[in-house]
Amino acid sequence: MFATMGLGTALNEDIHKGVFDRFRSLPIARSAPLLGTVLGDTVRFITVMTVLVGFGSVLGFRFHTDPLSVLAAFALAYVFYLAVCWISVLVGLVAPTPETVQGLAFIWVMPLTFGSSILVPDTSTMPGWLEAWTKVNPVTHLAESVRALTVGGPIGNHAWYTLAWAAGIVLVTFPLAMRMYSRRA
């Protein structure tokens, strides 16, 4: 979640530097610069995942499932990451300056990340209002899916909810981002 915040900041900086004005003069699809930016952020995702797995291994974490399940966990996380990138793109297009992108992004990243089951898998110990929030939080569904695919246990419908959330996020934010891009760039 936090890795996507840099995408919005970089996009906002590129707009201020006039990079996207140059893209407008090229014979390319209107969506190409934004799609390229999001897909190009795959390198950041791979770096983040490599660092997380590396540090986790050093600290003693071991996968308890087969390699195909681990690969499915990474793929699911990547799909959700790409969807969340579109929120960051939208924030980067809406924010007036690169400095404000981080602050605006932090407003939506904080409750999604820390109000999920990432740090506390047993949400029944939480206050009622927080437990209710974690049950509908898309990051909880992602965390439960990845947890089941990497250390074992029942996956239930969490993977389907994660994919549905990812699709919903893209269906809402992609058209909004394209509209803002047309106005901003």
Side-chain angles (χ1 to χ4, degrees):
M1 295 293 292
F2 289 100
T4 64
M5 291 174 25
L7 178 65
T9 304
L11 181 69
N12 192 287
E13 288 175 359
D14 286 346
I15 288 172
H16 282 302
K17 290 179 183 176
V19 173
F20 283 89
D21 290 334
R22 291 183 207 118
F23 288 150
R24 281 182 173 229
S25 67
L26 297 174
I28 58 175
R30 296 284 298 153
S31 60
L34 293 183
L35 288 171
T37 301
V38 170
L39 292 176
D41 212 46
T42 299
V43 174
R44 184 189 325 253
F45 175 80
I46 291 170
T47 303
V48 167
M49 294 307 291
T50 302
V51 169
L52 284 174
V53 170
F55 276 115
S57 297
V58 168
L59 295 173
F61 175 78
R62 300 293 180 260
F63 295 111
H64 297 288
T65 58
D66 59 287
L68 192 58
S69 294
V70 173
L71 188 60
F74 286 128
L76 188 64
Y78 179 64
V79 167
F80 191 76
Y81 176 81
L82 286 178
V84 172
C85 280
W86 285 105
I87 299 173
S88 185
V89 165
L90 188 59
V91 171
L93 291 168
V94 171
T97 64
E99 293 79 23
T100 59
V101 174
Q102 293 289 328
L104 291 174
F106 199 73
I107 289 171
W108 65 268
V109 168
M110 265 302 270
L112 286 175
T113 304
F114 292 109
S116 71
S117 69
I118 288 177
L119 302 173
V120 182
D122 182 15
T123 59
S124 65
T125 61
M126 295 179 176
W129 64 270
L130 187 54
E131 184 180 2
W133 167 249
T134 60
K135 287 182 181 182
V136 298
N137 188 334
V139 177
T140 292
H141 295 295
L142 175 64
E144 296 299 326
S145 300
V146 169
R147 196 174 283 127
L149 289 168
T150 56
V151 296
I155 193 167
N157 289 328
H158 293 294
W160 293 114
Y161 285 132
T162 301
L163 292 172
W165 269 106
I169 290 168
V170 171
L171 286 173
V172 170
T173 56
F174 177 74
L176 290 173
M178 288 308 300
R179 186 176 189 144
M180 289 307 300
Y181 172 65
S182 295
R183 290 182 179 177
R184 180 90 193 257

